[in-house]
Amino acid sequence: MNSPTRWGILGTGSIARKFAEGLTALPSAQLVAVGSRSAATAEAFGAQYKVPHCHASYEALARDPEVEAIYISTPHPFHCENTLLCLGEGKAVLCEKPFAINAAQSSQMVEAARAQRVFLMEAMWTRFLPVMGWVRQQLPQIGQVRLVSADFGFRAGYNRQSRLFAPELGGGALLDVGIYVLSFASMILGPRPVQLTSAAALGESGVDEQTSLLLSYADGAQATLTCAVRTTTPQEARIVGTEGMIQIESPFWRGTAATLRTGGGQVRAEFPLQGNGYNYEAAEVGRCLRAGEKESSIMPLEETLAITRLMDQARAQWGLRYPME
């Protein structure tokens, strides 16, 4: 019951390396395998992170009997097929955000996990940071939440070959960084607004380079969210209630400090990261597996599905469809 969770990583790109580094800060986890599309890249990754089992295919990784849970780190369009492969071999899956290209794929993934009774979770790592746990605990202090605001934008140089600007890879701001602000609003206000109004600036490649979303809820609360890949923004988040507010300092998506302001004054709390932050979501997977849970109560599958539907709805308002759809 107390043995380390035995992890495999599917893919060897930059996000896979961040996750591997995160696992080094988690005593309850052990990286035992990596899978790539070639033996050379798998072995190079394995040498860097001291991984004992290096597989030249994703299929071999999924079949590895030493592996208990697999982190999917491939580009957006491959999340669905990679997840289904691993679930089919009975492996717990932590799938990098965004969970999938669209709600149809997300539904297929969730249905497969539930039918096979295998653990599945979206790797929205921000939600598991200590500062976010503190924020959730403080929400009663600010009364009824009326407004949530969050932004995540950065300026990348235009490069049609980059995944950020490639429609065939699900490029654009919404799936890459918009998922952060949407998930944050969902964590506070719930994933089902009664209205979504959005606008996007589509670049020459056809993907959204800058996006604004306004979510309206049945109780009158609102969320104002922005994301961009060609515009640098403050990357802050605020929650405003009837009795006070909470501000998460920039960059909120890997935040380490937040301030609670009420009529009684203000309290600033700091939460330095242990490791690089990716270890917290891995710890949640391990906790769930040891408890026999098939999904996380902090990032439940129904919420992931609802957020994916919101992204579909926003894209429909702009007329943006990816080639694989």
Side-chain angles (χ1 to χ4, degrees), residues 6-13 16-17 19-20 23 30-64 66-67 69-71 73-74:
R6 302 184 307 279
W7 282 94
I9 296 180
L10 191 150
T12 57
R17 296 176 185 277
F19 189 76
L23 290 182
Q30 182 181 7
L31 179 55
V32 300
V34 62
S36 181
R37 290 172 295 183
S38 76
T41 53
E43 289 169 4
F45 188 97
Q48 181 176 356
Y49 296 102
K50 298 180 174 60
V51 185
H53 302 283
C54 301
H55 299 289
S57 72
Y58 298 154
E59 291 78 8
L61 171 67
R63 292 192 299 266
D64 189 332
E66 296 298 315
V67 174
I70 295 178
Y71 170 66
S73 72
T74 48

mmCIF file of all heavy atoms in Angstrom, residues 6-13 16-17 19-20 23 30-64 66-67 69-71 73-74:
data_model
loop_
_atom_site.group_PDB
_atom_site.id
_atom_site.type_symbol
_atom_site.label_atom_id
_atom_site.label_comp_id
_atom_site.label_asym_id
_atom_site.label_seq_id
_atom_site.Cartn_x
_atom_site.Cartn_y
_atom_site.Cartn_z
ATOM 1 N N ARG A 6 4.628 3.531 -9.686
ATOM 2 C CA ARG A 6 5.593 3.260 -10.745
ATOM 3 C C ARG A 6 5.121 3.937 -12.043
ATOM 4 O O ARG A 6 4.140 3.517 -12.652
ATOM 5 C CB ARG A 6 5.774 1.754 -10.944
ATOM 6 C CG ARG A 6 6.230 1.024 -9.668
ATOM 7 C CD ARG A 6 6.492 -0.453 -9.921
ATOM 8 N NE ARG A 6 5.359 -1.119 -10.551
ATOM 9 C CZ ARG A 6 4.281 -1.558 -9.900
ATOM 10 N NH1 ARG A 6 4.186 -1.391 -8.584
ATOM 11 N NH2 ARG A 6 3.311 -2.164 -10.557
ATOM 12 N N TRP A 7 5.843 4.973 -12.431
ATOM 13 C CA TRP A 7 5.433 5.819 -13.547
ATOM 14 C C TRP A 7 6.139 5.463 -14.851
ATOM 15 O O TRP A 7 7.310 5.105 -14.859
ATOM 16 C CB TRP A 7 5.732 7.278 -13.238
ATOM 17 C CG TRP A 7 4.747 7.927 -12.327
ATOM 18 C CD1 TRP A 7 4.836 8.051 -10.963
ATOM 19 C CD2 TRP A 7 3.524 8.550 -12.709
ATOM 20 N NE1 TRP A 7 3.738 8.712 -10.480
ATOM 21 C CE2 TRP A 7 2.910 9.034 -11.524
ATOM 22 C CE3 TRP A 7 2.877 8.755 -13.926
ATOM 23 C CZ2 TRP A 7 1.700 9.700 -11.536
ATOM 24 C CZ3 TRP A 7 1.658 9.413 -13.938
ATOM 25 C CH2 TRP A 7 1.076 9.879 -12.751
ATOM 26 N N GLY A 8 5.397 5.613 -15.939
ATOM 27 C CA GLY A 8 5.965 5.638 -17.272
ATOM 28 C C GLY A 8 5.599 6.967 -17.908
ATOM 29 O O GLY A 8 4.560 7.554 -17.579
ATOM 30 N N ILE A 9 6.428 7.460 -18.795
ATOM 31 C CA ILE A 9 6.150 8.699 -19.518
ATOM 32 C C ILE A 9 6.073 8.381 -21.003
ATOM 33 O O ILE A 9 6.988 7.782 -21.575
ATOM 34 C CB ILE A 9 7.233 9.768 -19.254
ATOM 35 C CG1 ILE A 9 7.239 10.167 -17.782
ATOM 36 C CG2 ILE A 9 7.006 10.995 -20.137
ATOM 37 C CD1 ILE A 9 8.288 11.213 -17.430
ATOM 38 N N LEU A 10 4.975 8.792 -21.614
ATOM 39 C CA LEU A 10 4.751 8.566 -23.034
ATOM 40 C C LEU A 10 5.076 9.860 -23.773
ATOM 41 O O LEU A 10 4.365 10.849 -23.650
ATOM 42 C CB LEU A 10 3.303 8.123 -23.278
ATOM 43 C CG LEU A 10 2.958 7.587 -24.665
ATOM 44 C CD1 LEU A 10 1.824 6.566 -24.588
ATOM 45 C CD2 LEU A 10 2.567 8.720 -25.617
ATOM 46 N N GLY A 11 6.192 9.839 -24.511
ATOM 47 C CA GLY A 11 6.681 11.038 -25.174
ATOM 48 C C GLY A 11 7.949 11.532 -24.491
ATOM 49 O O GLY A 11 8.174 11.254 -23.309
ATOM 50 N N THR A 12 8.767 12.275 -25.230
ATOM 51 C CA THR A 12 10.059 12.699 -24.684
ATOM 52 C C THR A 12 10.341 14.180 -24.917
ATOM 53 O O THR A 12 11.493 14.603 -24.899
ATOM 54 C CB THR A 12 11.198 11.866 -25.303
ATOM 55 O OG1 THR A 12 11.142 12.006 -26.739
ATOM 56 C CG2 THR A 12 11.090 10.409 -24.924
ATOM 57 N N GLY A 13 9.302 14.980 -25.131
ATOM 58 C CA GLY A 13 9.475 16.402 -25.387
ATOM 59 C C GLY A 13 9.722 17.206 -24.122
ATOM 60 O O GLY A 13 9.975 16.656 -23.043
ATOM 61 N N ALA A 16 7.509 16.458 -21.099
ATOM 62 C CA ALA A 16 7.868 15.166 -20.505
ATOM 63 C C ALA A 16 9.058 15.338 -19.572
ATOM 64 O O ALA A 16 9.126 14.723 -18.494
ATOM 65 C CB ALA A 16 8.199 14.160 -21.604
ATOM 66 N N ARG A 17 9.993 16.167 -19.971
ATOM 67 C CA ARG A 17 11.181 16.417 -19.143
ATOM 68 C C ARG A 17 10.810 17.160 -17.856
ATOM 69 O O ARG A 17 11.360 16.877 -16.790
ATOM 70 C CB ARG A 17 12.219 17.188 -19.951
ATOM 71 C CG ARG A 17 12.728 16.382 -21.126
ATOM 72 C CD ARG A 17 13.701 17.145 -22.021
ATOM 73 N NE ARG A 17 14.034 16.324 -23.185
ATOM 74 C CZ ARG A 17 14.963 15.382 -23.179
ATOM 75 N NH1 ARG A 17 15.685 15.173 -22.087
ATOM 76 N NH2 ARG A 17 15.197 14.666 -24.258
ATOM 77 N N PHE A 19 7.970 16.902 -16.313
ATOM 78 C CA PHE A 19 7.301 15.937 -15.441
ATOM 79 C C PHE A 19 8.321 14.995 -14.805
ATOM 80 O O PHE A 19 8.223 14.676 -13.615
ATOM 81 C CB PHE A 19 6.265 15.137 -16.230
ATOM 82 C CG PHE A 19 5.395 14.268 -15.365
ATOM 83 C CD1 PHE A 19 4.378 14.807 -14.612
ATOM 84 C CD2 PHE A 19 5.609 12.897 -15.298
ATOM 85 C CE1 PHE A 19 3.573 14.015 -13.800
ATOM 86 C CE2 PHE A 19 4.816 12.091 -14.487
ATOM 87 C CZ PHE A 19 3.797 12.656 -13.742
ATOM 88 N N ALA A 20 9.302 14.559 -15.588
ATOM 89 C CA ALA A 20 10.344 13.689 -15.042
ATOM 90 C C ALA A 20 11.099 14.390 -13.923
ATOM 91 O O ALA A 20 11.403 13.786 -12.880
ATOM 92 C CB ALA A 20 11.305 13.269 -16.151
ATOM 93 N N LEU A 23 8.992 14.428 -10.752
ATOM 94 C CA LEU A 23 8.954 13.152 -10.031
ATOM 95 C C LEU A 23 10.151 12.979 -9.101
ATOM 96 O O LEU A 23 10.056 12.273 -8.092
ATOM 97 C CB LEU A 23 8.896 11.989 -11.015
ATOM 98 C CG LEU A 23 7.595 11.806 -11.803
ATOM 99 C CD1 LEU A 23 7.694 10.574 -12.700
ATOM 100 C CD2 LEU A 23 6.387 11.704 -10.888
ATOM 101 N N GLN A 30 8.152 6.713 -8.587
ATOM 102 C CA GLN A 30 9.357 6.156 -9.188
ATOM 103 C C GLN A 30 9.170 6.110 -10.698
ATOM 104 O O GLN A 30 8.204 5.537 -11.195
ATOM 105 C CB GLN A 30 9.605 4.746 -8.639
ATOM 106 C CG GLN A 30 10.866 4.074 -9.158
ATOM 107 C CD GLN A 30 11.047 2.685 -8.595
ATOM 108 O OE1 GLN A 30 10.175 2.159 -7.906
ATOM 109 N NE2 GLN A 30 12.181 2.072 -8.893
ATOM 110 N N LEU A 31 10.065 6.746 -11.439
ATOM 111 C CA LEU A 31 10.007 6.729 -12.897
ATOM 112 C C LEU A 31 10.713 5.469 -13.388
ATOM 113 O O LEU A 31 11.930 5.352 -13.282
ATOM 114 C CB LEU A 31 10.667 7.986 -13.471
ATOM 115 C CG LEU A 31 10.699 8.096 -15.001
ATOM 116 C CD1 LEU A 31 9.307 7.958 -15.602
ATOM 117 C CD2 LEU A 31 11.340 9.432 -15.410
ATOM 118 N N VAL A 32 9.936 4.530 -13.927
ATOM 119 C CA VAL A 32 10.508 3.227 -14.295
ATOM 120 C C VAL A 32 10.564 2.996 -15.793
ATOM 121 O O VAL A 32 11.244 2.073 -16.251
ATOM 122 C CB VAL A 32 9.720 2.072 -13.636
ATOM 123 C CG1 VAL A 32 9.754 2.190 -12.119
ATOM 124 C CG2 VAL A 32 8.280 2.025 -14.144
ATOM 125 N N ALA A 33 9.852 3.821 -16.602
ATOM 126 C CA ALA A 33 9.831 3.548 -18.032
ATOM 127 C C ALA A 33 9.518 4.802 -18.833
ATOM 128 O O ALA A 33 8.874 5.728 -18.352
ATOM 129 C CB ALA A 33 8.805 2.454 -18.356
ATOM 130 N N VAL A 34 9.979 4.801 -20.067
ATOM 131 C CA VAL A 34 9.659 5.870 -21.012
ATOM 132 C C VAL A 34 9.397 5.228 -22.357
ATOM 133 O O VAL A 34 9.988 4.196 -22.702
ATOM 134 C CB VAL A 34 10.804 6.908 -21.107
ATOM 135 C CG1 VAL A 34 12.093 6.257 -21.624
ATOM 136 C CG2 VAL A 34 10.410 8.082 -21.992
ATOM 137 N N GLY A 35 8.485 5.822 -23.101
ATOM 138 C CA GLY A 35 8.180 5.319 -24.435
ATOM 139 C C GLY A 35 8.294 6.433 -25.449
ATOM 140 O O GLY A 35 7.836 7.553 -25.216
ATOM 141 N N SER A 36 8.923 6.147 -26.577
ATOM 142 C CA SER A 36 9.080 7.111 -27.655
ATOM 143 C C SER A 36 8.781 6.413 -28.968
ATOM 144 O O SER A 36 8.543 5.207 -29.012
ATOM 145 C CB SER A 36 10.501 7.674 -27.652
ATOM 146 O OG SER A 36 10.665 8.633 -28.688
ATOM 147 N N ARG A 37 8.810 7.187 -30.055
ATOM 148 C CA ARG A 37 8.601 6.576 -31.371
ATOM 149 C C ARG A 37 9.891 6.023 -31.954
ATOM 150 O O ARG A 37 9.878 5.433 -33.032
ATOM 151 C CB ARG A 37 7.979 7.613 -32.317
ATOM 152 C CG ARG A 37 6.532 7.962 -31.978
ATOM 153 C CD ARG A 37 6.026 9.108 -32.793
ATOM 154 N NE ARG A 37 6.741 10.353 -32.507
ATOM 155 C CZ ARG A 37 6.449 11.529 -33.062
ATOM 156 N NH1 ARG A 37 5.466 11.621 -33.928
ATOM 157 N NH2 ARG A 37 7.142 12.607 -32.737
ATOM 158 N N SER A 38 11.003 6.217 -31.239
ATOM 159 C CA SER A 38 12.271 5.654 -31.702
ATOM 160 C C SER A 38 13.102 5.229 -30.503
ATOM 161 O O SER A 38 13.000 5.816 -29.422
ATOM 162 C CB SER A 38 13.049 6.673 -32.543
ATOM 163 O OG SER A 38 13.648 7.655 -31.728
ATOM 164 N N ALA A 39 13.932 4.230 -30.711
ATOM 165 C CA ALA A 39 14.792 3.744 -29.634
ATOM 166 C C ALA A 39 15.799 4.800 -29.211
ATOM 167 O O ALA A 39 16.110 4.947 -28.030
ATOM 168 C CB ALA A 39 15.509 2.473 -30.094
ATOM 169 N N ALA A 40 16.301 5.582 -30.164
ATOM 170 C CA ALA A 40 17.335 6.575 -29.855
ATOM 171 C C ALA A 40 16.836 7.632 -28.895
ATOM 172 O O ALA A 40 17.508 7.971 -27.913
ATOM 173 C CB ALA A 40 17.842 7.213 -31.144
ATOM 174 N N THR A 41 15.652 8.183 -29.155
ATOM 175 C CA THR A 41 15.138 9.229 -28.276
ATOM 176 C C THR A 41 14.735 8.667 -26.919
ATOM 177 O O THR A 41 14.920 9.311 -25.889
ATOM 178 C CB THR A 41 13.942 9.948 -28.923
ATOM 179 O OG1 THR A 41 12.959 8.982 -29.320
ATOM 180 C CG2 THR A 41 14.379 10.758 -30.132
ATOM 181 N N ALA A 42 14.196 7.451 -26.907
ATOM 182 C CA ALA A 42 13.836 6.821 -25.632
ATOM 183 C C ALA A 42 15.079 6.590 -24.786
ATOM 184 O O ALA A 42 15.096 6.878 -23.579
ATOM 185 C CB ALA A 42 13.112 5.499 -25.876
ATOM 186 N N GLU A 43 16.137 6.101 -25.404
ATOM 187 C CA GLU A 43 17.356 5.807 -24.652
ATOM 188 C C GLU A 43 18.057 7.077 -24.191
ATOM 189 O O GLU A 43 18.626 7.122 -23.093
ATOM 190 C CB GLU A 43 18.278 4.952 -25.511
ATOM 191 C CG GLU A 43 17.752 3.531 -25.677
ATOM 192 C CD GLU A 43 18.502 2.751 -26.741
ATOM 193 O OE1 GLU A 43 19.488 3.307 -27.290
ATOM 194 O OE2 GLU A 43 18.105 1.601 -27.019
ATOM 195 N N ALA A 44 17.995 8.141 -24.997
ATOM 196 C CA ALA A 44 18.597 9.414 -24.585
ATOM 197 C C ALA A 44 17.858 9.989 -23.387
ATOM 198 O O ALA A 44 18.472 10.481 -22.427
ATOM 199 C CB ALA A 44 18.584 10.398 -25.749
ATOM 200 N N PHE A 45 16.538 9.924 -23.423
ATOM 201 C CA PHE A 45 15.724 10.386 -22.301
ATOM 202 C C PHE A 45 16.013 9.537 -21.074
ATOM 203 O O PHE A 45 16.186 10.046 -19.963
ATOM 204 C CB PHE A 45 14.247 10.297 -22.676
ATOM 205 C CG PHE A 45 13.311 10.923 -21.673
ATOM 206 C CD1 PHE A 45 12.845 12.209 -21.862
ATOM 207 C CD2 PHE A 45 12.869 10.211 -20.563
ATOM 208 C CE1 PHE A 45 11.962 12.784 -20.951
ATOM 209 C CE2 PHE A 45 11.998 10.774 -19.653
ATOM 210 C CZ PHE A 45 11.542 12.069 -19.848
ATOM 211 N N GLY A 46 16.067 8.234 -21.273
ATOM 212 C CA GLY A 46 16.322 7.322 -20.169
ATOM 213 C C GLY A 46 17.668 7.541 -19.521
ATOM 214 O O GLY A 46 17.810 7.459 -18.297
ATOM 215 N N ALA A 47 18.675 7.840 -20.335
ATOM 216 C CA ALA A 47 20.008 8.099 -19.793
ATOM 217 C C ALA A 47 20.016 9.367 -18.943
ATOM 218 O O ALA A 47 20.670 9.421 -17.897
ATOM 219 C CB ALA A 47 21.011 8.207 -20.927
ATOM 220 N N GLN A 48 19.287 10.383 -19.396
ATOM 221 C CA GLN A 48 19.271 11.650 -18.664
ATOM 222 C C GLN A 48 18.573 11.524 -17.319
ATOM 223 O O GLN A 48 19.020 12.114 -16.330
ATOM 224 C CB GLN A 48 18.589 12.732 -19.502
ATOM 225 C CG GLN A 48 18.560 14.097 -18.810
ATOM 226 C CD GLN A 48 17.977 15.177 -19.697
ATOM 227 O OE1 GLN A 48 17.645 14.952 -20.858
ATOM 228 N NE2 GLN A 48 17.852 16.371 -19.151
ATOM 229 N N TYR A 49 17.490 10.731 -17.276
ATOM 230 C CA TYR A 49 16.690 10.635 -16.054
ATOM 231 C C TYR A 49 16.804 9.288 -15.352
ATOM 232 O O TYR A 49 16.019 8.992 -14.449
ATOM 233 C CB TYR A 49 15.219 10.963 -16.382
ATOM 234 C CG TYR A 49 15.052 12.382 -16.846
ATOM 235 C CD1 TYR A 49 14.900 12.674 -18.203
ATOM 236 C CD2 TYR A 49 15.097 13.442 -15.945
ATOM 237 C CE1 TYR A 49 14.774 13.984 -18.646
ATOM 238 C CE2 TYR A 49 14.966 14.754 -16.375
ATOM 239 C CZ TYR A 49 14.814 15.014 -17.723
ATOM 240 O OH TYR A 49 14.707 16.320 -18.159
ATOM 241 N N LYS A 50 17.774 8.499 -15.775
ATOM 242 C CA LYS A 50 18.046 7.206 -15.126
ATOM 243 C C LYS A 50 16.804 6.313 -15.116
ATOM 244 O O LYS A 50 16.394 5.777 -14.090
ATOM 245 C CB LYS A 50 18.571 7.421 -13.698
ATOM 246 C CG LYS A 50 19.887 8.189 -13.646
ATOM 247 C CD LYS A 50 20.362 8.380 -12.213
ATOM 248 C CE LYS A 50 21.745 9.026 -12.180
ATOM 249 N NZ LYS A 50 21.767 10.358 -12.818
ATOM 250 N N VAL A 51 16.210 6.159 -16.286
ATOM 251 C CA VAL A 51 15.004 5.346 -16.455
ATOM 252 C C VAL A 51 15.417 3.933 -16.869
ATOM 253 O O VAL A 51 16.083 3.763 -17.897
ATOM 254 C CB VAL A 51 14.069 5.963 -17.511
ATOM 255 C CG1 VAL A 51 12.762 5.169 -17.590
ATOM 256 C CG2 VAL A 51 13.794 7.433 -17.200
ATOM 257 N N PRO A 52 15.026 2.909 -16.126
ATOM 258 C CA PRO A 52 15.498 1.556 -16.431
ATOM 259 C C PRO A 52 14.916 0.937 -17.693
ATOM 260 O O PRO A 52 15.577 0.141 -18.358
ATOM 261 C CB PRO A 52 15.113 0.750 -15.188
ATOM 262 C CG PRO A 52 14.014 1.528 -14.549
ATOM 263 C CD PRO A 52 14.280 2.961 -14.852
ATOM 264 N N HIS A 53 13.672 1.262 -18.042
ATOM 265 C CA HIS A 53 13.028 0.641 -19.199
ATOM 266 C C HIS A 53 12.760 1.702 -20.266
ATOM 267 O O HIS A 53 11.930 2.592 -20.069
ATOM 268 C CB HIS A 53 11.713 -0.034 -18.794
ATOM 269 C CG HIS A 53 11.879 -1.074 -17.730
ATOM 270 N ND1 HIS A 53 12.377 -2.327 -17.990
ATOM 271 C CD2 HIS A 53 11.629 -1.030 -16.396
ATOM 272 C CE1 HIS A 53 12.421 -3.025 -16.869
ATOM 273 N NE2 HIS A 53 11.984 -2.261 -15.887
ATOM 274 N N CYS A 54 13.447 1.588 -21.396
ATOM 275 C CA CYS A 54 13.310 2.552 -22.492
ATOM 276 C C CYS A 54 12.716 1.839 -23.704
ATOM 277 O O CYS A 54 13.338 0.935 -24.273
ATOM 278 C CB CYS A 54 14.668 3.161 -22.837
ATOM 279 S SG CYS A 54 15.461 4.008 -21.442
ATOM 280 N N HIS A 55 11.511 2.247 -24.086
ATOM 281 C CA HIS A 55 10.778 1.543 -25.132
ATOM 282 C C HIS A 55 10.763 2.342 -26.430
ATOM 283 O O HIS A 55 10.574 3.556 -26.422
ATOM 284 C CB HIS A 55 9.345 1.278 -24.682
ATOM 285 C CG HIS A 55 9.248 0.433 -23.453
ATOM 286 N ND1 HIS A 55 9.551 -0.916 -23.458
ATOM 287 C CD2 HIS A 55 8.902 0.740 -22.168
ATOM 288 C CE1 HIS A 55 9.382 -1.408 -22.238
ATOM 289 N NE2 HIS A 55 8.991 -0.428 -21.440
ATOM 290 N N ALA A 56 10.910 1.643 -27.531
ATOM 291 C CA ALA A 56 10.959 2.276 -28.849
ATOM 292 C C ALA A 56 9.571 2.455 -29.462
ATOM 293 O O ALA A 56 9.453 2.826 -30.636
ATOM 294 C CB ALA A 56 11.837 1.459 -29.783
ATOM 295 N N SER A 57 8.536 2.200 -28.695
ATOM 296 C CA SER A 57 7.171 2.433 -29.180
ATOM 297 C C SER A 57 6.266 2.713 -27.986
ATOM 298 O O SER A 57 6.550 2.305 -26.856
ATOM 299 C CB SER A 57 6.637 1.232 -29.962
ATOM 300 O OG SER A 57 6.354 0.144 -29.091
ATOM 301 N N TYR A 58 5.174 3.403 -28.259
ATOM 302 C CA TYR A 58 4.196 3.675 -27.207
ATOM 303 C C TYR A 58 3.500 2.383 -26.782
ATOM 304 O O TYR A 58 3.144 2.213 -25.612
ATOM 305 C CB TYR A 58 3.160 4.687 -27.695
ATOM 306 C CG TYR A 58 3.736 6.042 -28.057
ATOM 307 C CD1 TYR A 58 3.094 6.855 -28.989
ATOM 308 C CD2 TYR A 58 4.913 6.520 -27.477
ATOM 309 C CE1 TYR A 58 3.600 8.104 -29.321
ATOM 310 C CE2 TYR A 58 5.427 7.764 -27.810
ATOM 311 C CZ TYR A 58 4.760 8.563 -28.737
ATOM 312 O OH TYR A 58 5.268 9.790 -29.069
ATOM 313 N N GLU A 59 3.312 1.496 -27.733
ATOM 314 C CA GLU A 59 2.655 0.220 -27.431
ATOM 315 C C GLU A 59 3.464 -0.590 -26.422
ATOM 316 O O GLU A 59 2.905 -1.194 -25.492
ATOM 317 C CB GLU A 59 2.447 -0.580 -28.716
ATOM 318 C CG GLU A 59 1.427 0.000 -29.674
ATOM 319 C CD GLU A 59 1.952 1.165 -30.492
ATOM 320 O OE1 GLU A 59 3.174 1.450 -30.438
ATOM 321 O OE2 GLU A 59 1.143 1.803 -31.188
ATOM 322 N N ALA A 60 4.770 -0.600 -26.591
ATOM 323 C CA ALA A 60 5.624 -1.351 -25.667
ATOM 324 C C ALA A 60 5.575 -0.758 -24.271
ATOM 325 O O ALA A 60 5.568 -1.492 -23.277
ATOM 326 C CB ALA A 60 7.062 -1.368 -26.187
ATOM 327 N N LEU A 61 5.534 0.563 -24.191
ATOM 328 C CA LEU A 61 5.401 1.211 -22.882
ATOM 329 C C LEU A 61 4.083 0.814 -22.226
ATOM 330 O O LEU A 61 4.046 0.463 -21.043
ATOM 331 C CB LEU A 61 5.465 2.728 -23.033
ATOM 332 C CG LEU A 61 5.126 3.535 -21.774
ATOM 333 C CD1 LEU A 61 6.175 3.328 -20.680
ATOM 334 C CD2 LEU A 61 4.980 5.016 -22.103
ATOM 335 N N ALA A 62 2.997 0.862 -22.987
ATOM 336 C CA ALA A 62 1.677 0.551 -22.432
ATOM 337 C C ALA A 62 1.599 -0.889 -21.932
ATOM 338 O O ALA A 62 0.871 -1.181 -20.981
ATOM 339 C CB ALA A 62 0.599 0.809 -23.482
ATOM 340 N N ARG A 63 2.369 -1.782 -22.549
ATOM 341 C CA ARG A 63 2.337 -3.191 -22.158
ATOM 342 C C ARG A 63 3.326 -3.532 -21.047
ATOM 343 O O ARG A 63 3.304 -4.651 -20.525
ATOM 344 C CB ARG A 63 2.634 -4.074 -23.374
ATOM 345 C CG ARG A 63 1.548 -4.071 -24.439
ATOM 346 C CD ARG A 63 1.794 -5.197 -25.439
ATOM 347 N NE ARG A 63 3.072 -5.039 -26.128
ATOM 348 C CZ ARG A 63 3.227 -4.446 -27.296
ATOM 349 N NH1 ARG A 63 2.179 -3.941 -27.930
ATOM 350 N NH2 ARG A 63 4.427 -4.362 -27.859
ATOM 351 N N ASP A 64 4.173 -2.600 -20.678
ATOM 352 C CA ASP A 64 5.221 -2.874 -19.684
ATOM 353 C C ASP A 64 4.587 -3.236 -18.338
ATOM 354 O O ASP A 64 3.899 -2.416 -17.724
ATOM 355 C CB ASP A 64 6.109 -1.637 -19.525
ATOM 356 C CG ASP A 64 7.352 -1.908 -18.685
ATOM 357 O OD1 ASP A 64 7.316 -2.799 -17.810
ATOM 358 O OD2 ASP A 64 8.360 -1.209 -18.889
ATOM 359 N N GLU A 66 5.849 -3.447 -15.487
ATOM 360 C CA GLU A 66 6.412 -2.704 -14.362
ATOM 361 C C GLU A 66 5.738 -1.356 -14.166
ATOM 362 O O GLU A 66 5.891 -0.715 -13.124
ATOM 363 C CB GLU A 66 7.919 -2.493 -14.568
ATOM 364 C CG GLU A 66 8.725 -3.770 -14.593
ATOM 365 C CD GLU A 66 8.612 -4.517 -13.274
ATOM 366 O OE1 GLU A 66 8.715 -3.874 -12.217
ATOM 367 O OE2 GLU A 66 8.415 -5.746 -13.298
ATOM 368 N N VAL A 67 4.987 -0.916 -15.159
ATOM 369 C CA VAL A 67 4.385 0.420 -15.140
ATOM 370 C C VAL A 67 2.984 0.380 -14.549
ATOM 371 O O VAL A 67 2.159 -0.442 -14.935
ATOM 372 C CB VAL A 67 4.345 1.022 -16.561
ATOM 373 C CG1 VAL A 67 3.592 2.350 -16.565
ATOM 374 C CG2 VAL A 67 5.761 1.211 -17.093
ATOM 375 N N ALA A 69 1.258 3.675 -13.774
ATOM 376 C CA ALA A 69 0.583 4.882 -14.259
ATOM 377 C C ALA A 69 1.416 5.495 -15.373
ATOM 378 O O ALA A 69 2.648 5.461 -15.337
ATOM 379 C CB ALA A 69 0.390 5.889 -13.132
ATOM 380 N N ILE A 70 0.744 6.082 -16.366
ATOM 381 C CA ILE A 70 1.440 6.673 -17.508
ATOM 382 C C ILE A 70 1.028 8.128 -17.676
ATOM 383 O O ILE A 70 -0.164 8.464 -17.654
ATOM 384 C CB ILE A 70 1.160 5.887 -18.803
ATOM 385 C CG1 ILE A 70 1.759 4.471 -18.699
ATOM 386 C CG2 ILE A 70 1.728 6.617 -20.025
ATOM 387 C CD1 ILE A 70 1.504 3.595 -19.904
ATOM 388 N N TYR A 71 2.034 8.971 -17.851
ATOM 389 C CA TYR A 71 1.816 10.387 -18.124
ATOM 390 C C TYR A 71 1.899 10.594 -19.633
ATOM 391 O O TYR A 71 2.907 10.267 -20.258
ATOM 392 C CB TYR A 71 2.880 11.216 -17.398
ATOM 393 C CG TYR A 71 2.909 12.679 -17.774
ATOM 394 C CD1 TYR A 71 1.844 13.522 -17.471
ATOM 395 C CD2 TYR A 71 4.015 13.221 -18.425
ATOM 396 C CE1 TYR A 71 1.878 14.860 -17.803
ATOM 397 C CE2 TYR A 71 4.064 14.561 -18.752
ATOM 398 C CZ TYR A 71 2.990 15.377 -18.447
ATOM 399 O OH TYR A 71 3.026 16.709 -18.775
ATOM 400 N N SER A 73 2.385 12.916 -22.659
ATOM 401 C CA SER A 73 3.002 14.229 -22.855
ATOM 402 C C SER A 73 3.074 14.647 -24.321
ATOM 403 O O SER A 73 3.759 15.614 -24.661
ATOM 404 C CB SER A 73 4.419 14.224 -22.267
ATOM 405 O OG SER A 73 5.294 13.442 -23.064
ATOM 406 N N THR A 74 2.380 13.939 -25.178
ATOM 407 C CA THR A 74 2.437 14.210 -26.610
ATOM 408 C C THR A 74 1.624 15.453 -26.980
ATOM 409 O O THR A 74 0.848 15.963 -26.158
ATOM 410 C CB THR A 74 1.902 12.992 -27.371
ATOM 411 O OG1 THR A 74 0.667 12.574 -26.778
ATOM 412 C CG2 THR A 74 2.890 11.843 -27.332
#
